[in-house]
Each structure stands twice: as C-alpha cells, then as structure tokens.
Amino acid sequence: MFLLPVVLGVLYAAAVYGITFFAKYQIQDVVDRAVASGLYVDRSAFAAADISAAVEARANDTLQGLKNNLPESWRGRLEGGCEPDVIGDIDVILCSLTYPNFKTNPITPSLNFGWLGTFPPLPDALSVEARAAF
C-alpha cells in the first residue's frame, strides 16, 4: 500500500519525460530539415555575395513551414530562426528554436506538492540548434 504512490509517481514521471523528449525530438527534426533545405540553394543562380542571404531565406522559409506541422498547442510558443554565421573562413547556416519558460508552461501538467516543489522536475526551456557549412 505504501509502494503504490511511488509506483504511480514513477509511471507518471516516465510518461512526462517521454512526451518531453519526443517534443524535443520533433523540434530538433524541424531545425535539422530547415538547415538541410538551405543547402539546396543553387549557388550558380546567385552572385557570390548573395548566396548567404539566399541560404538564410530558404532555411527560414522552411523553418516556418515545418513549424506549422508541429502540434498547435505549442507551436506558437517556439522562438528562433535561421541566420548565417562565419566560423573561421567557413560560412555556416545556424538554425535554432527554443521553447521558453517550459518549466512554468510545459506540454504536460506537473504535479505541485507545495513545499516539496513540482514533480517531475522539468527543464527551464527546450532549446535545439543545427548548423551546416555551405
């Protein structure tokens, strides 16, 4: 009888963490695919100075389109985008998305035990990023 709350707590935590990790996986997939789409820009169609802007525009368009395929209840909470960067002499496209205040506004509800805090503990934010050289 004393183990029932512990077993239920473990099962609930497993479910919440499973949903959280799957959500992060979905967000990471969106970012990965946005970066990959930026690499498909036809470089011969642009001047050398304009390639970076074309890659950024294509990656951002893809990112916005793929965000619309995410669950409606939390897609509007995602912040971020794609931007070009230079690492050394290499041009890189960097895409990132963040679900801010995830701890206070999670996908699944947390249980609040007063002075013991919330259960299960969740991260403050879910952040993902992807980058590729072009």
Side-chain angles (χ1 to χ4, degrees), residues 59-108:
N60 271 318
D61 289 345
T62 304
L63 184 72
Q64 293 306 318
L66 292 173
K67 270 177 49 175
N68 291 333
N69 293 335
L70 294 173
E72 186 177 337
S73 62
W74 48 278
R75 83 175 85 146
R77 300 176 187 167
L78 296 173
E79 300 172 353
C82 299
E83 59 187 27
D85 194 11
V86 177
I87 300 176
D89 293 336
I90 301 171
D91 290 327
V92 175
I93 185 72
L94 168 66
C95 294
S96 63
L97 282 176
T98 301
Y99 187 124
N101 67 3
F102 184 76
K103 190 173 196 172
T104 58
N105 194 7
I107 295 170
T108 57

